[in-house]
Amino acid sequence: MHDDSTMPPPRDPPTGQMSSAAPGTLQRLMDESRLSPVFQPVVDLRTASIYGHEALIRGPHDGPLHMPAELLELAARASLQVEFELHCVDLALRRWASLGQAGRLFVNMSPDVLLRAADDGLPHSLRSLLSASRVSPHLVVIELTEQGSASDWPALRQAVKAVRSLGVLLALDDFGEAHSGLRRWAELRPDFVKIDKFFTRSISTAHENVEVVRAIQQIGSAMGTQLIAEGITQADDLRLLRDLDIHYGQGHFLGRPAEAPLSRIAQAVTLVLRDNDIAIMPNPGQAHAVLRGLPIVQAPGVEMKATNEDVSKIFQDRVDLHALAMVQEGRPVALINRQEFMNRYAQLYFREVHGRKPAASYAHQTPLTIELDADVQELMGVLMSEDQRYLRDGFIFTEGGNYVGLGTGDQLVRAVTETRIEAARYANPLTSLPGNIPINMHIERLLIGGADFAACYADLNNFKAFNDHYGYWRGDEMIRAAARLLGRHSDPKRDFVGHIGGDDFIVLFQSADWERRCARIVEEFGKQAFKFYSDADREAGGIEAEDRHGINRFFSICSLSIGAVRIHAGTMDCAEDVANEASLAKHEAKMSPSGFAIRTIAVLD
């Protein structure tokens, strides 16, 4: 009775209508044959064909019990869950048989119903339902749903074994939601796993979801399980899931639930599945939980009432501690620096006079506390702030505001530095465009996918002289302007814009009109570049500056050159070859009066 939640919600019933429905209502609906199945297609994304259909139940049209959620709620209140689900399976099988439809039929069962259906000694067993409908068991897939969660794992495993002996296959529904987890996957070894729509919907704009789906793929490969992506509602998501090599898909873009099973997929779906465009992977966001990989100094938190003698004893017992945190109800409120405290404690008569007094008097009352899940931008704010006490005192790790342990200043600096360096390999910190690693990954995906594309290398002319003359701040502004221009003239759904570094960019065009786009980019940058110069330099047409050899000479206004190389399927083997050819094209463009050149590659027979 699972349903794709992308279905527009039914009209809300009048207040109190559902709660007032008598428990006998559902039994009457079943007795009077007022429930009916509808079928939603499951599409093979590799062959652009219909693989099967999922049977979903519907109540009386336009009534408050039309959708399955309301029917399941009523079944639970009437204690008819098992009878209701088996009735729905029976309806789906009989209707499927009458239609003579090709392909597999997916039917929903909760764990409790599967236990019942697997027992041939009970009425309405799956064997008897299949026999009555004359549907071949080899065409049926049982989707194990989340209605109720089996606690008797041995019995559930035996039930799965029993229905499989009939030739029926097994699928796990909504993996990643509610109770669906790795244990169920590992215990039951399903033939299919449906990836919950939470991870697949809008996946083309969510880098984290891409990584989750890739992780699920690795598990599926290890388990020998086929994956079905649920909740596909738009072409961009479908293209990306196709390129991730997810074999099957389901969702309203592929086909809505209907009384008559879909015989062929829509042309719009076919165009996406059979086109040669490679999906643009979403960029990763800011690095989160940077600190979780750091070793935490496991130091005891001392209460605010602790005395100087108490603190001294801890420092003497733990020579590895650089500080101690003072806590109140589990939350850090102050920090005692070891060196400062011990210097005071070593003073003449300090122990005798102050030993039994509260140590809080010598603690810093505003310690630096950092959450374990802080992202790199928050940590950068700490490093760039005027308050640099963390270099001396270290900082306090917290989780949900509660004290966890201590960290040192050098840990913080190293963690941020390493994270920034690693992030720069994936996204350029100046423009936030993808860096060298995702550039190479996308080129490889284009080559493996057999796509035709244009690799266009963009580079600023006379930029070094401009940067030296006006300073890095204005130089950065010009680079960002170039990045915005490249992005504005690229199709975000088809073209990939990357920042190699400095004033070098690459655009991997799949747009058919890429030559026109390149020409516009060169032309518009030529106009924009003037605004970065002073009035006098604009009037002069450039600046006087030293060249790379220290010789003073005139440099004209910055311009943009784009060298392009057309890559056809099968002409190149790796990203390095593409990059080398694009670099050669860039040099040709710099020699061209137009600033644009297309390099021809000789294709060997």
Side-chain angles (χ1 to χ4, degrees):
M1 270 56 64
H2 160 79
D3 205 352
D4 188 332
S5 68
T6 53
M7 170 72 74
R11 187 174 56 207
D12 290 336
T15 302
Q17 189 168 352
M18 277 298 301
S19 60
S20 63
T25 302
L26 184 61
Q27 187 64 59
R28 285 198 300 275
L29 291 177
M30 292 190 288
D31 293 342
E32 297 171 5
S33 301
R34 297 179 64 193
L35 302 177
S36 58
V38 292
F39 302 93
Q40 185 174 30
V42 176
V43 173
D44 189 324
L45 307 187
R46 299 161 299 176
T47 61
S49 62
I50 293 176
Y51 178 74
H53 284 80
E54 178 184 358
L56 305 165
I57 200 67
R58 293 290 186 265
H61 189 66
D62 292 334
L65 298 176
H66 179 62
M67 298 301 288
E70 287 77 10
L71 291 167
L72 285 166
E73 179 188 336
L74 186 57
R77 289 197 289 112
S79 299
L80 288 173
Q81 299 100 314
V82 173
E83 293 81 357
F84 171 63
E85 286 191 41
L86 287 173
H87 180 77
C88 293
V89 172
D90 186 32
L91 287 177
L93 290 172
R94 292 177 183 274
R95 178 61 177 158
W96 189 255
S98 70
L99 293 168
Q101 183 74 26
R104 295 192 184 278
L105 176 66
F106 291 72
V107 294
N108 293 275
M109 283 190 185
S110 63
D112 289 340
V113 173
L114 181 59
L115 291 172
R116 171 79 172 267
D119 190 341
D120 290 340
L122 295 176
H124 297 100
S125 69
L126 182 60
R127 185 189 296 273
S128 64
L129 294 178
L130 289 168
S131 177
S133 66
R134 297 185 180 180
V135 172
S136 170
H138 299 282
L139 296 178
V140 176
V141 182
I142 292 177
E143 281 192 36
L144 200 59
T145 68
E146 290 297 334
Q147 278 78 38
S149 182
S151 57
D152 190 347
W153 281 100
L156 187 59
R157 285 197 299 270
Q158 283 299 115
V160 169
K161 184 178 179 180
V163 297
R164 273 190 165 144
S165 68
L166 302 176
V168 172
L169 300 182
L170 180 71
L172 289 188
D173 195 17
D174 295 332
F175 182 77
E177 191 224 19
H179 301 291
S180 283
L182 289 177
R183 178 179 178 180
R184 183 174 287 202
W185 195 338
E187 291 266 9
L188 304 181
R189 295 291 175 132
D191 303 282
F192 303 92
V193 162
K194 286 190 164 184
I195 307 173
D196 187 65
K197 52 189 165 287
F198 176 84
F199 300 111
T200 57
R201 188 181 300 159
S202 300
I203 191 174
S204 56
T205 60
H207 171 78
E208 295 82 1
N209 287 3
V210 172
E211 295 307 312
V212 169
V213 170
R214 280 175 167 158
I216 294 173
Q217 278 183 292
Q218 291 182 335
I219 300 170
S221 178
M223 298 281 192
T225 306
Q226 299 276 20
L227 300 179
I228 302 173
E230 295 187 290
I232 302 174
T233 60
Q234 56 182 346
D236 293 342
D237 294 339
L238 175 61
R239 182 176 290 107
L240 191 145
L241 289 163
R242 177 206 67 182
D243 290 353
L244 286 175
D245 200 27
I246 300 297
H247 288 181
Y248 302 101
Q250 189 175 1
H252 282 182
F253 184 71
L254 303 177
R256 292 174 176 266
E259 293 182 7
L262 203 64
S263 59
R264 64 174 63 183
I265 59 177
Q267 184 179 12
V269 177
T270 302
L271 290 175
V272 172
L273 293 177
R274 290 183 175 168
D275 70 25
N276 291 324
D277 288 353
I278 301 299
I280 305 298
M281 292 290 176
N283 286 337
Q286 294 293 344
H288 291 275
V290 174
L291 301 178
R292 286 197 175 270
L294 297 183
I296 298 174
V297 179
Q298 300 296 332
V302 297
E303 298 292 334
M304 291 297 289
K305 64 183 180 181
T307 66
N308 290 315
E309 285 184 357
D310 297 332
V311 171
S312 172
K313 187 176 186 309
I314 295 174
F315 277 138
Q316 290 176 34
D317 292 341
R318 293 284 304 275
V319 296
D320 60 310
L321 297 182
H322 64 280
L324 273 175
M326 305 199 80
V327 299
Q328 193 168 16
E329 296 181 353
R331 294 181 176 269
V333 293
L335 187 69
I336 303 174
N337 179 284
R338 177 194 186 93
Q339 184 174 350
E340 290 181 0
F341 178 86
M342 295 306 290
N343 285 345
R344 285 195 180 94
Y345 201 77
Q347 292 175 2
L348 189 63
Y349 303 125
F350 185 94
R351 181 185 306 179
E352 290 77 8
V353 177
H354 302 285
R356 296 185 179 278
K357 293 181 179 179
S361 302
Y362 302 100
H364 297 287
Q365 303 299 320
T366 55
L368 174 61
T369 61
I370 303 177
E371 279 282 307
L372 280 172
D373 287 327
D375 63 33
V376 71
Q377 289 301 322
E378 293 177 69
L379 301 182
M380 277 296 297
V382 172
L383 297 188
M384 299 297 289
S385 68
E386 294 183 2
D387 185 356
Q388 297 288 293
R389 283 178 301 152
Y390 67 87
L391 292 172
R392 180 189 67 226
D393 298 341
F395 62 95
I396 298 173
F397 282 104
T398 59
E399 188 164 25
N402 294 316
Y403 174 70
V404 174
L406 301 176
T408 62
D410 65 316
Q411 277 184 309
L412 182 60
V413 173
R414 187 166 61 253
V416 173
T417 302
E418 290 175 355
T419 302
R420 295 281 288 181
I421 291 172
E422 182 65 15
R425 301 170 67 204
Y426 288 89
N428 189 283
L430 179 61
T431 61
S432 297
L433 290 174
N436 291 322
I437 288 180
I439 290 172
N440 290 335
M441 290 173 62
H442 191 71
I443 293 175
E444 293 289 354
R445 292 178 59 242
L446 290 168
L447 295 176
I448 293 171
D452 291 338
F453 65 99
C456 300
Y457 197 132
D459 181 35
L460 300 186
N461 304 311
N462 301 329
F463 177 74
K464 183 180 184 304
F466 171 87
N467 197 55
D468 291 344
H469 183 79
Y470 283 103
Y472 73 89
W473 185 86
R474 195 173 294 190
D476 287 352
E477 284 297 307
M478 180 177 281
I479 289 174
R480 280 193 283 262
R484 289 192 295 269
L485 190 59
L486 291 167
R488 190 161 63 249
H489 286 282
S490 301
D491 184 342
K493 298 179 180 179
R494 307 184 72 191
D495 308 325
F496 180 99
V497 183
H499 190 169
I500 298 169
D503 59 325
D504 293 336
F505 300 87
I506 192 163
V507 185
L508 304 169
F509 280 109
Q510 293 183 87
S511 294
D513 60 344
W514 62 272
E515 291 184 54
R516 181 186 63 81
R517 293 173 185 264
C518 287
R520 291 289 302 276
I521 291 168
V522 171
E523 178 186 357
E524 288 191 25
F525 184 84
K527 296 176 182 178
Q528 289 188 19
F530 278 85
K531 71 179 182 181
F532 293 99
Y533 288 78
S534 67
D535 291 341
D537 290 338
R538 280 198 293 268
E539 187 174 345
I543 57 175
E544 292 282 345
E546 288 186 353
D547 62 17
R548 297 180 186 274
H549 305 289
I551 300 174
N552 200 60
R553 67 183 185 87
F554 182 78
F555 291 87
S556 58
I557 300 292
C558 281
S559 59
L560 184 70
S561 294
I562 299 179
V565 56
R566 282 177 283 201
I567 311 296
H568 299 288
T571 58
M572 289 200 180
D573 298 324
C574 64
E576 183 180 0
D577 292 342
V578 174
N580 289 338
E581 290 293 338
S583 181
L584 293 173
K586 177 196 72 171
H587 291 296
E588 293 178 8
K590 282 182 169 291
M591 303 298 294
S592 170
S594 68
F596 178 53
I598 301 175
R599 178 174 173 79
T600 302
I601 303 175
V603 180
L604 299 177
D605 294 331

